[in-house]
Amino acid sequence: MPDPTQLTQPDEALRRATSGDQVPAAPTVLLTIADRLTSTRPASPILPPRRAALALRYATDAAGYDTPASHTLERSLLRLMPEITRPITRGEYALLLRAAAGRLTELHSAAAADYGSGPRPGAARNALASARTAGNAAAPTR
């Protein structure tokens, strides 16, 4: 006869589902990172090593220190986060993160097109300036 205190597989799954062991999805964490980048020094530059540091920090915050879930989440974040290949501000990078998370607005489209095109055209530069001053919530969605 099996031990009555031993949890069966369905019991363990139910315990995990109700105990808060759930790790947020990578797009949700990307939006959290984007919120942080836009709320703290959005006009400051962001450098390539910061991308990896952000992924590690937010994966650890969401899934615990050095756990399999945090490693998986960190890899997922790094896959979704665009590479930083040229000078870019934190606010502009936040727009790219929101686009990677599936939150597209016209500002995101302008920022994504502008990011790879070199010098910014006037309309895209003005749209990004409006995003910084008015906030991303004011941006029209498509």
Side-chain angles (χ1 to χ4, degrees), residues 6-79:
Q6 184 177 6
L7 293 175
T8 63
Q9 197 169 14
D11 291 336
E12 178 64 15
L14 182 60
R15 183 194 67 79
R16 286 186 183 185
T18 59
S19 68
D21 289 345
Q22 305 271 330
V23 175
T28 304
V29 177
L30 280 181
L31 294 174
T32 303
I33 295 170
D35 290 342
R36 172 64 185 207
L37 291 176
T38 55
S39 67
T40 308
R41 301 182 321 277
S44 297
I46 187 166
L47 302 173
R50 189 69 178 149
R51 174 182 169 266
L54 286 168
L56 175 63
R57 176 184 171 208
Y58 282 88
T60 301
D61 287 351
Y65 177 73
D66 201 23
T67 63
S70 70
H71 297 299
T72 302
L73 181 58
E74 181 185 5
R75 285 191 301 272
S76 297
L77 288 172
L78 288 172
R79 268 194 308 273

